[in-house]
């Protein structure tokens, strides 16, 4: 395998406009995300929707490629960046690391790549973490993953993702929006229209399941902070 980490980012975030350039401890958020990914030892580039993001990443010594700002999703953005960076297909695995996770440790990217190397049937790898508390179960903003865990209890095939409340005994896995795609799976996914379940739950990964792609998830101990609103940004600044 020859993985490449791509970090999609655009300025027009609804809840926190211009958030890729939000200052966290003297650095733009997207630069912190790029630094965390680069610490994995894997090649990394930012798939930027705006020239300001490219300038910030390049000023920090990173690599960024400008993509169409009107692309509908992060998956489409990394597909466009992949075609620009690697038109000959040298990279057969792409890790989609979110630009609003400024403190995602280097193991985050490696875990997706390791899971795909270990599970040949895995088309798309992702991550889950234990629920932060019982309030997560009924929170529609917390996406839950339903897994068929393997014997280790640290990874498993994803059966479904939902915003709904999950009942009964057993762990509730909180989905962490990091993905590893085999290149062919990414191309097929981006070529397909939004699926009925995807539109119903507003969860892009359900398109992949409806397409028959195999999704696997690795368990991590704690979800990294995702900066989605001003309160999250203040929490991130306290961690910097």
């Amino acid at each position: 395998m020859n993985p490449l980490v791509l970090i999609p980012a655009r300025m027009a975030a609804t809840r926190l406009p211009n958030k890729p350039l939000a200052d966290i401890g003297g650095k733009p958020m997207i630069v912190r995300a790029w630094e965390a990914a680069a610490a994995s030892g894997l090649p990394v580039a930012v798939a930027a929707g705006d020239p300001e993001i490219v300038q910030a990443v390049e000023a920090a010594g990173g690599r960024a490629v400008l993509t169409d700002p009107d692309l509908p999703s992060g998956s489409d953005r990394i597909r466009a960046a992949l075609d620009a960076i690697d038109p000959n297909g040298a990279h057969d695995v792409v890790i989609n690391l979110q630009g609003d996770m400024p403190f995602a440790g280097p193991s985050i990217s490696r875990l997706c790549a390791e899971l795909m190397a270990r599970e040949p049937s895995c088309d798309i790898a992702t991550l889950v973490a234990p629920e932060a508390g019982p309030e997560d179960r009924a929170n529609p903003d917390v996406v839950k993953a339903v897994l068929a865990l393997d014997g280790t209890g640290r990874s498993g095939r994803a059966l479904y993702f939902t915003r709904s409340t999950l009942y009964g005994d057993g762990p509730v896995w909180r989905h962490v929006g990091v993905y590893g795609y085999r290149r062919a799976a990414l191309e097929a996914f981006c070529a397909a229209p939004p699926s009925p379940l995807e539109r119903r739950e507003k969860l892009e990964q359900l398109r992949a399941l409806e397409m028959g792609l195999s999704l696997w998830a690795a368990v991590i101990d704690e979800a990294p902070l995702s900066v989605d609103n001003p309160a999250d940004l203040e929490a991130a600044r306290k961690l910097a």
Side-chain angles (χ1 to χ4, degrees), residues 46-59:
V46 172
D50 307 271
E52 298 95 327
I53 298 172
V54 174
Q55 293 164 9
V57 173
E58 290 182 344

Side-chain angles (χ1 to χ4, degrees), residues 33-112:
W34 168 77
E35 288 177 340
S40 70
L42 300 174
V44 182
V46 172
D50 307 271
E52 298 95 327
I53 298 172
V54 174
Q55 293 164 9
V57 173
E58 290 182 344
R63 184 180 188 185
V65 58
L66 185 63
T67 58
D68 183 346
D70 295 326
L71 289 169
S73 72
S75 300
D76 294 293
R77 197 168 305 287
I78 66 166
R79 166 72 192 282
L82 179 63
D83 288 345
I85 291 171
D86 183 30
N88 297 321
H91 293 286
D92 57 347
V93 166
V94 183
I95 310 298
N96 180 350
L97 185 66
Q98 303 303 319
D100 55 11
M101 291 182 179
F103 303 110
S107 64
I108 292 291
S109 298
R110 291 197 300 264
L111 272 172
C112 283

Side-chain angles (χ1 to χ4, degrees), residues 46-224:
V46 172
D50 307 271
E52 298 95 327
I53 298 172
V54 174
Q55 293 164 9
V57 173
E58 290 182 344
R63 184 180 188 185
V65 58
L66 185 63
T67 58
D68 183 346
D70 295 326
L71 289 169
S73 72
S75 300
D76 294 293
R77 197 168 305 287
I78 66 166
R79 166 72 192 282
L82 179 63
D83 288 345
I85 291 171
D86 183 30
N88 297 321
H91 293 286
D92 57 347
V93 166
V94 183
I95 310 298
N96 180 350
L97 185 66
Q98 303 303 319
D100 55 11
M101 291 182 179
F103 303 110
S107 64
I108 292 291
S109 298
R110 291 197 300 264
L111 272 172
C112 283
E114 290 166 1
L115 179 56
M116 300 182 82
R118 190 168 67 248
E119 296 292 343
S121 67
C122 173
D123 298 307
I124 301 174
T126 190
L127 304 176
V128 297
E131 60 187 338
E135 66 279 0
D136 279 357
R137 296 193 175 204
N139 185 350
D141 291 330
V142 175
V143 178
K144 299 90 179 172
V146 180
L147 305 179
L149 288 172
D150 61 16
T152 70
R154 299 298 295 178
S155 64
R157 186 165 54 88
L159 304 178
Y160 195 65
F161 297 86
T162 186
R163 298 183 184 277
S164 301
T165 302
L166 292 177
Y167 295 95
D169 295 330
V172 171
W173 300 114
R174 179 175 185 147
H175 183 229
V176 178
V178 176
Y179 296 94
Y181 295 89
R182 298 198 192 274
R183 190 166 184 147
L186 176 63
E187 291 170 353
F189 178 83
C190 290
S195 70
L197 287 174
E198 174 186 1
R199 292 194 298 268
R200 180 173 182 172
E201 293 247 29
K202 296 181 174 58
L203 295 175
E204 191 181 51
Q205 60 269 42
L206 293 179
R207 184 194 320 174
L209 289 179
E210 287 194 85
M211 291 171 62
L213 296 174
S214 177
L215 275 73
W216 282 70
V219 176
I220 58 176
D221 294 331
E222 185 177 1

